Amino acid sequence: MKRFRLVSIATLLLIFSASSFGPLELYAQNPTDESLPRIVQKDGRYALFVDGAPFLILGAQVNNSSAWPAMLPKVWPTVEKLHLNTLEVPIYWEQFEPQRGRFDPSVLHTLLDQARQHHVHLVLLWFGTWKNGSGHYTPPFIKLDEAQVPHVVNAEGHKVDSLSPHSQVGLDADRAAFTELMRDLKAADPEHTVIMVQVENESGTYGSVRDFSPKAQKLFEGQVPAVLLKAMKKQPGTWRQVFGDDADEFFHAWSIAHYIGEVAAAGKAVYPLPMYVNAALRDPFHPGKPGSYDTGGPTDNVIPIWKAAAPAIDLLAPDIYMPDYARYTKVLDLYHRADNPMFVPETGNSPAYARYFFAALGHQAIGFSPFGMDTTGYVNAPIGATRIDDDALAPFALNYSIFGSMDSVVARLNFEGKLQAVSEDPAVHTRTLDFGKWKAVVSYGLPQFGNGKVAPGNTPADGEAMVAQLGPDEFLVTAVHARVDFEPADSSKQRQFVKVEEGEYQGNDWHFIRIWNGDQTDYGLNFTSASQVLRVSLATY
Ligand code: DGJ
């Protein structure tokens, strides 16, 4: 457990050294829960704490049918090539509870054993009542019990491929299975290999705005629950009276969120790991009509409803399969909220997506995870890469190799609000990051040598940069395919580099490699596709 030992040493360092990194009370722990992974909030920002310190998930998710033991040999080589610290893997309800009340934790245990051997954490994905809006992962005793666990019925009276959130039998069964999973996990994982759990997968319904079955209709005609009225600052009334045209969708969102909130709460009662749900998104600019997207799931328009209905869920996370800059960053804006820690649990695995790791960091993400990262032979093109080979992995592997040894340093700087990071927008070739006394200027497409003229941008737009403030005149900088330079806010002065050190963090310790000077600094700090991290001291003259 090399990696875990490293983290523990880092934790001790944080506790015993009067670090320049901030007040120790930041890391004050409940002594009984010192090592339990959890989400911590401070000053409107969030961090995922693992082993008592902020942690950055350098993640990837396997294909849907890749968590079976026979498939794992086609998973681990990719995990290593990507330099992951966390793997997201499904737990299939149909496997975990093949017959009612008979639980089989063997796959879970295999995953735990092998993750430990490969020195990575796990995020478990509970594929239960919902998987991409459908009930395909439910065990046969659920699938065949249409009378008690019915499908959603649309406005025309037709069943659609999604289970009703109004089935008490369905909820009881899902909740019981998930609780058993968390109970088993607690016993089998004292070292917290698993750091977070996703409850269901892309819940919601395609093909209907809500359930129109008689049972659902009766509830819809009833009163809006008081807790939701309070959260939405509304007066009492029926769903239609309170929410007008949004009533059908809001009712469905409340119903699904409430169901999943119950499942999560029961699981947390036995083992309180951080829990989240993932969203199949609406187009952020042209959402379309409810029913055309995964309606009732945690889409951007119903985040407040989910927050009120499912308080056991720590965060709502967008699955981002929109490669264009405007949409991607708009989605990040929509889910980066004062009441919602930012996490990208799934994103496309084609090269265009790799740079958004930096934009996610710039939105204070606790982690990032491209989907479909294994060599089982399945690819989800066109929303992902057409093949998974070393070339496809390279840009993701580069990012994680840069951040792999400084994940906790970066997570901490982000938690403290000292970090800014950007991905290249093909329409904007220079970005200025404001640090008060200093401005960091990120330019794309300039040569390493020579001042160049106007930055032309990269083709394709694959640049990315991160700048974090370590002291009044000291910054941590890394980038790919970008030039980073600094300007004093006081334009009567000019910047000079006092020292530019290349090195790498091991835990919280900085290991010096060399000083950049001459050609390497005369034209700004130019980053290629090499894994390079700099500590930069500045002054003016
Ligand atoms: C999003 C889902 O959450 C994943 O499980 C997977 O189905 C992808 N879409 C598509 O490959």
Side-chain angles (χ1 to χ4, degrees):
M1 306 299 305
K2 185 166 52 120
R3 158 160 215 98
F4 293 173
R5 232 178 274 131
L6 202 74
V7 172
S8 310
I9 291 167
T11 309
L12 285 175
L13 279 172
L14 272 172
I15 291 167
F16 291 117
S17 73
S19 142
S20 59
F21 296 139
L24 288 180
E25 61 268 21
L26 256 184
Y27 308 104
Q29 308 292 317
N30 171 347
T32 54
D33 287 334
E34 171 70 26
S35 65
L36 190 69
R38 66 199 185 287
I39 302 285
V40 179
Q41 181 187 17
K42 191 174 193 302
D43 299 335
R45 290 182 294 274
Y46 295 92
L48 170 64
F49 271 54
V50 173
D51 285 317
F55 182 79
L56 174 64
I57 293 178
L58 305 174
Q61 187 173 144
V62 299
N63 280 298
N64 290 161
S65 307
S66 299
W68 292 92
M71 292 298 110
L72 295 179
K74 294 184 190 298
V75 170
W76 298 118
T78 308
V79 169
E80 280 168 15
K81 283 180 186 171
L82 283 171
H83 311 288
L84 300 188
N85 64 20
T86 305
L87 185 69
E88 295 181 0
V89 283
I91 297 290
Y92 316 115
W93 187 4
E94 63 181 343
Q95 179 283 319
F96 186 66
E97 191 185 12
Q99 290 161 13
R100 190 188 295 276
R102 192 175 75 72
F103 297 102
D104 175 5
S106 61
V107 171
L108 170 66
H109 293 177
T110 301
L111 289 165
L112 289 173
D113 286 348
Q114 295 195 13
R116 289 169 191 150
Q117 283 161 23
H118 290 87
H119 313 297
V120 292
H121 285 289
L122 294 175
V123 169
L124 299 184
L125 319 170
W126 173 242
F127 283 10
T129 301
W130 287 275
K131 162 66 175 84
N132 297 22
S134 300
H136 299 178
Y137 280 87
T138 57
F141 68 85
I142 295 291
K143 279 185 180 145
L144 302 177
D145 190 4
E146 174 70 20
Q148 296 191 92
V149 190
H151 285 77
V152 164
V153 175
N154 69 15
E156 289 76 44
H158 301 302
K159 292 177 191 170
V160 300
D161 188 11
S162 185
L163 295 179
S164 170
H166 306 293
S167 164
Q168 189 63 41
V169 170
L171 169 58
D172 289 346
D174 193 325
R175 180 168 47 197
F178 184 70
T179 305
E180 188 59 31
L181 174 70
M182 296 308 291
R183 187 175 294 123
D184 191 284
L185 179 62
K186 183 180 183 187
D189 191 27
E191 60 259 72
H192 305 310
T193 300
V194 174
I195 55 174
M196 198 153 63
V197 179
Q198 179 186 292
V199 191
E200 316 293 340
N201 188 87
E202 293 195 346
S203 61
T205 298
Y206 290 97
S208 185
V209 61
R210 68 170 170 93
D211 188 3
F212 289 85
S213 67
K215 184 176 183 183
Q217 187 60 29
K218 194 158 171 234
L219 290 167
F220 180 72
E221 286 163 9
Q223 296 290 300
V224 173
V227 61
L228 184 58
L229 292 172
K230 189 165 173 230
M232 306 289 280
K233 298 187 173 57
K234 296 281 188 187
Q235 295 305 310
T238 65
W239 288 87
R240 185 69 71 209
Q241 286 165 345
V242 175
F243 294 118
D245 289 348
D246 291 324
D248 301 275
E249 182 174 17
F250 285 13
F251 169 74
H252 200 45
W254 168 268
S255 306
I256 294 176
H258 192 262
Y259 182 116
I260 294 177
E262 295 276 297
V263 172
K268 270 193 166 174
V270 297
Y271 186 26
L273 284 182
M275 294 191 185
Y276 73 96
V277 290
N278 61 331
L281 301 173
R282 316 187 307 164
D283 185 305
F285 299 123
H286 306 287
K289 285 203 164 60
S292 67
Y293 53 84
D294 202 7
T295 306
T299 50
D300 65 83
N301 55 326
V302 293
I303 291 174
I305 293 176
W306 271 80
K307 292 283 174 189
I313 295 294
D314 295 283
L315 63 106
L316 315 179
D319 292 349
I320 318 183
Y321 292 92
M322 299 171 185
D324 65 291
Y325 182 90
R327 281 188 173 72
Y328 205 105
T329 52
K330 178 69 180 173
V331 168
L332 292 174
D333 291 343
L334 288 168
Y335 283 83
H336 180 213
R337 300 163 44 116
D339 62 356
N340 195 52
M342 183 75 224
F343 177 47
V344 181
E346 284 184 41
T347 197
N349 59 5
S350 49
Y353 287 98
R355 75 188 195 278
Y356 293 125
F357 170 62
F358 280 68
L361 276 183
H363 286 74
Q364 296 192 317
I366 61 167
F368 184 82
S369 180
F371 175 86
M373 292 304 215
D374 59 53
T375 52
T376 53
Y378 190 86
V379 292
N380 66 0
I383 65 168
T386 49
R387 53 182 209 289
I388 294 298
D389 55 17
D390 288 356
D391 285 347
L393 299 182
F396 297 96
L398 173 60
N399 286 342
Y400 290 175
S401 81
I402 295 171
F403 283 84
S405 62
M406 61 173 184
D407 50 358
S408 72
V409 168
V410 167
R412 178 178 46 72
L413 288 166
N414 221 351
F415 186 40
E416 293 171 355
K418 294 179 177 162
L419 183 153
Q420 298 189 48
V422 289
S423 309
E424 184 173 357
D425 175 351
V428 179
H429 310 318
T430 299
R431 282 281 298 270
T432 301
L433 311 178
D434 187 354
F435 287 93
K437 181 179 165 192
W438 291 102
K439 290 187 239 172
V441 181
V442 180
S443 313
Y444 301 109
L446 291 170
Q448 287 179 272
F449 184 90
N451 277 322
K453 299 251 165 13
V454 177
N458 295 305
T459 309
D462 56 3
E464 48 190 20
M466 181 210 81
V467 181
Q469 189 144 23
L470 299 174
D473 303 300
E474 197 183 349
F475 293 89
L476 181 69
V477 182
T478 189
V480 170
H481 298 159
R483 173 181 294 184
V484 180
D485 207 338
F486 290 85
E487 289 173 3
D490 178 351
S491 57
S492 68
K493 299 190 170 155
Q494 300 182 65
R495 78 91 186 110
Q496 63 173 322
F497 291 121
V498 180
K499 190 161 66 165
V500 177
E501 275 188 29
E502 182 182 345
E504 64 177 29
Y505 278 100
Q506 294 294 344
N508 283 297
D509 295 333
W510 174 253
H511 291 265
F512 170 85
I513 295 174
R514 62 171 170 161
I515 290 178
W516 280 21
N517 208 334
D519 285 353
Q520 281 69 54
T521 58
D522 288 348
Y523 314 106
L525 310 171
N526 290 284
F527 292 86
T528 59
S529 49
S531 171
Q532 291 171 323
V533 179
L534 305 177
R535 271 169 63 148
V536 180
S537 304
L538 303 169
T540 54
Y541 61 92

